[in-house]
Amino acid sequence: MQVYVYRNEEQVAQAAAMIFAAELAAKPNLVLGLATGTTPIPTYQRLIALNRDGLIDFSQARSYNLDEYVGLEPGHPASYRYFMNVKLFDHINIDKANTHVPSGLGDVKKNADAYDAAIEEAGGIDLQLLGIGHNGHIGFNEPNPRAFIYKTNVVTLTPSTIQANARLFDKEADVPRQAISLGIGGIMNARRVILLATGRGKAQAVRDAVKGDITPLLPASILKAHRNAQFLLDEEAASLL
Ligand code: F6R
């Protein structure tokens, strides 16, 4: 993994957006792996501006999101499908039919297997965008002493993740306790990974991922073993390195 430190989150977003632009220019039908959460929002805003100005074209791109809550309808304002539509897809020239978010409804195990098969069918993820949880999770792959889980799977959210995500719900009790998430294998199979981290709150997780051992207790640490992963950090997120 390579680590790049920028002055602030705007510069992180600018760098990330430029990577998207370069990769899409090289391969217009790029398969994107996308993330939700607060961290990528400035990057998505830049992608929207670049698309509006005709500098980046999503017309042939395909996308697969990392995760979704179990039990939330796509129209629920806290669902990740809703987030992606509102924060990105509604504002760029991507064909919505080419955008995919795992479904947390119905037979979720079956959905998980179908999601992996669909990504494989698409040729695999070319560019995977990630954030990092305060506990070092990537996607919703929570710290788990047993093993890195390879495939897309149903995960039980930790109390710290439930608390961190409660801001998007009326109250903490409304946060679903389970999610469907691309597994560690799906992330590691991406040809390129960029992980964004901004703010002091991410500094410890970033430090542990970059400087600590590779361990399932800090899932992002696996990215040290990825052949083409870059961490794009602001100074606060990098402050413990
Ligand atoms: C989101 C995701 C999560 C977030 C992480 C950081 O799709 O999979 O791993 O990237 O929880 O979230 P924020 O950016 O809100 O701090």
Side-chain angles (χ1 to χ4, degrees):
M1 111 208 338
Q2 294 102 37
V3 177
Y4 297 90
V5 182
Y6 299 89
R7 216 170 35 243
N8 52 39
E9 70 169 1
E10 285 74 33
Q11 291 192 358
V12 169
Q14 179 66 12
M18 287 304 124
I19 292 172
F20 272 75
E23 295 279 353
L24 271 163
K27 184 181 175 192
N29 66 343
L30 204 69
V31 179
L32 297 165
L34 297 176
T36 60
T38 307
T39 314
I41 292 176
T43 300
Y44 292 158
Q45 287 168 347
R46 271 175 177 67
L47 293 177
I48 291 166
L50 288 169
N51 188 237
R52 192 188 51 224
D53 295 344
L55 299 172
I56 189 168
D57 177 21
F58 292 95
S59 62
Q60 296 178 56
R62 294 152 296 159
S63 74
Y64 290 85
N65 259 77
L66 281 167
D67 38 24
E68 179 60 282
Y69 291 110
V70 166
L72 287 198
E73 298 283 343
H76 189 291
S79 81
Y80 285 172
R81 161 52 78 180
Y82 185 90
F83 175 101
M84 289 309 300
N85 286 349
V86 169
K87 299 292 185 197
L88 185 64
F89 299 148
D90 285 347
H91 313 286
I92 59 174
N93 70 334
I94 199 163
D95 180 349
K96 279 256 183 78
N98 288 336
T99 68
H100 309 272
V101 178
S103 170
L105 299 175
D107 185 341
V108 189
K109 176 76 188 77
K110 202 166 135 200
N111 300 346
D113 291 343
Y115 203 64
D116 285 334
I119 291 173
E120 204 178 316
E121 175 82 5
I125 292 171
D126 293 307
L127 176 61
Q128 177 67 58
L129 179 67
L130 295 177
I132 182 170
H134 295 95
N135 61 6
H137 72 208
I138 46 176
F140 270 142
N141 295 287
E142 300 282 35
N144 172 353
R146 279 174 296 124
F148 286 122
I149 297 169
Y150 192 81
K151 289 163 63 104
T152 295
N153 58 94
V154 181
V155 291
T156 299
L157 303 180
T158 60
S160 84
T161 298
I162 290 168
Q163 203 182 18
N165 290 3
R167 65 188 189 281
L168 306 169
F169 292 82
D170 288 341
K171 52 186 187 308
E172 195 172 312
D174 293 345
V175 183
R177 270 35 190 174
Q178 288 192 311
I180 175 170
S181 176
L182 195 69
I184 292 294
I187 292 170
M188 290 299 283
N189 283 338
R191 291 182 188 89
R192 182 174 188 179
V193 174
I194 53 174
L195 182 146
L196 314 184
T198 53
R200 184 69 183 75
K202 299 294 173 65
Q204 186 64 47
V206 165
R207 201 209 101 85
D208 292 344
V210 173
K211 297 248 161 133
D213 294 336
I214 295 180
T215 165
L217 296 178
L218 206 292
S221 63
I222 193 75
L223 295 170
K224 279 213 278 276
H226 193 283
R227 60 197 178 285
N228 189 9
Q230 291 90 42
F231 277 30
L232 311 185
L233 312 173
D234 70 358
E235 285 179 357
E236 290 189 2
S239 59
L240 297 179
L241 290 180

